[in-house]
Amino acid sequence: MLHSSLPPTQFVLYADDGYDSHVVRLLLEEKRLAYQMRLLHDDRPEELAELNPYLSLPVLVNRDVSLYETNIIFEYLEERHQAYKLLPTTPKERANVRLLAWRLQRDWLALGKTLWTHPDSFDEKKAAHAKKTLSDSLTTLAPLFARHEYFMSDEFGWCDVLLLPLLWRLPKLGVTLPATLCRPLLEYQERGFARQAFKNSLAPAPMLDDDEI
């Protein structure tokens, strides 16, 4: 069920309060695209199955597409909406950023997702290992953040969109970084969290009621 009445640059975001939905909200804010949000929790309405057969969130919809995988959503928006690009200009540079993004998702973000597993399937031993591994890895690589304004780059990009929502959740995950050893990383956090787009991604977006769907 696509929203045929929407303008081409207006989106509806079916989302929860989890990490992946936060990434897409930040992506939309950085691309400066208009959207309304349908906030969902454990219940999945029937219309969601028409948009995403896996019933996972987030799902981004406009009048001619329904997208439900974070990387696909990013690639679509990056190609369709050329302003405020989050990838560099040359093929080699774009490939390097995509590799860095893949490594973030495979390493740090995979550990984060272990820690915010649903309580019904939470494994305390596995979570303790993930917490220590994530903390140790961030601490070890913190000096990298002193080299550039943003993650491995002087320009804000796709890797930052992936990383900042994870860093925002570290206190809730019980991960505390040593201030002295992690100063470059903590300063990076402050710069990222101060961006207007990030602040907007934390604020409630315009909500859709059931009768507006």
Side-chain angles (χ1 to χ4, degrees):
M1 180 184 61
L2 302 180
H3 295 259
S4 57
S5 62
L6 289 172
T9 56
Q10 171 79 53
F11 293 89
V12 173
L13 176 62
Y14 292 76
D16 56 15
D17 57 1
Y19 165 83
D20 291 313
S21 294
H22 191 180
V23 167
V24 175
R25 292 198 307 274
L26 180 55
L27 174 60
L28 289 165
E29 294 291 346
E30 287 288 347
K31 301 291 280 185
R32 304 188 190 183
L33 295 170
Y35 68 101
Q36 293 177 295
M37 194 162 74
R38 176 83 188 277
L39 184 62
L40 304 175
H41 297 288
D42 290 335
D43 293 334
R44 297 290 189 264
E46 291 183 7
E47 69 265 17
L48 188 64
E50 301 177 36
L51 302 172
N52 174 6
Y54 300 99
L55 296 177
S56 60
L57 297 173
V59 180
L60 187 67
V61 181
N62 74 359
R63 65 183 182 182
D64 58 359
V65 297
S66 173
L67 304 170
Y68 45 82
E69 198 282 327
T70 305
N71 290 288
I72 299 299
I73 292 172
F74 164 69
E75 294 290 350
Y76 172 81
L77 294 179
E78 185 73 358
E79 291 182 16
R80 179 76 179 268
H81 301 280
Q82 296 291 312
Y84 312 108
K85 293 185 72 63
L86 295 167
L87 287 177
T89 56
T90 70
K92 178 181 177 180
E93 290 173 324
R94 289 197 296 273
N96 285 335
V97 169
R98 288 185 173 104
L99 280 174
L100 285 172
W102 178 80
R103 292 183 65 183
L104 284 176
Q105 291 171 312
R106 186 178 184 275
D107 298 333
W108 290 347
L109 301 177
L111 293 169
K113 289 184 178 183
T114 297
L115 294 173
W116 57 66
T117 300
H118 193 279
D120 291 345
S121 56
F122 190 76
D123 185 325
E124 291 188 5
K125 185 175 180 180
K126 188 176 180 180
H129 174 74
K131 184 185 298 186
K132 184 178 187 307
T133 303
L134 179 59
S135 177
D136 290 349
S137 180
L138 288 170
T139 301
T140 299
L141 296 178
L144 290 177
F145 290 84
R147 299 179 183 179
H148 300 281
E149 187 78 3
Y150 297 107
F151 184 72
M152 305 294 285
S153 174
D154 293 323
E155 302 291 333
F156 189 91
W158 174 225
C159 290
D160 302 292
V161 173
L162 291 170
L163 186 53
L164 286 170
L166 170 66
L167 297 177
W168 180 257
R169 285 166 170 74
L170 290 183
K172 290 186 178 180
L173 298 179
V175 176
T176 302
L177 301 177
T180 302
L181 295 175
C182 293
R183 184 171 301 280
L185 173 54
L186 297 175
E187 290 175 350
Y188 163 82
Q189 278 189 180
E190 291 179 6
R191 290 192 297 274
F193 296 164
R195 290 176 70 85
Q196 189 58 53
F198 189 84
K199 293 178 181 178
N200 292 346
S201 75
L202 300 174
M207 295 288 182
L208 284 175
D209 297 324
D210 288 347
D211 57 2
E212 296 180 276
I213 301 298

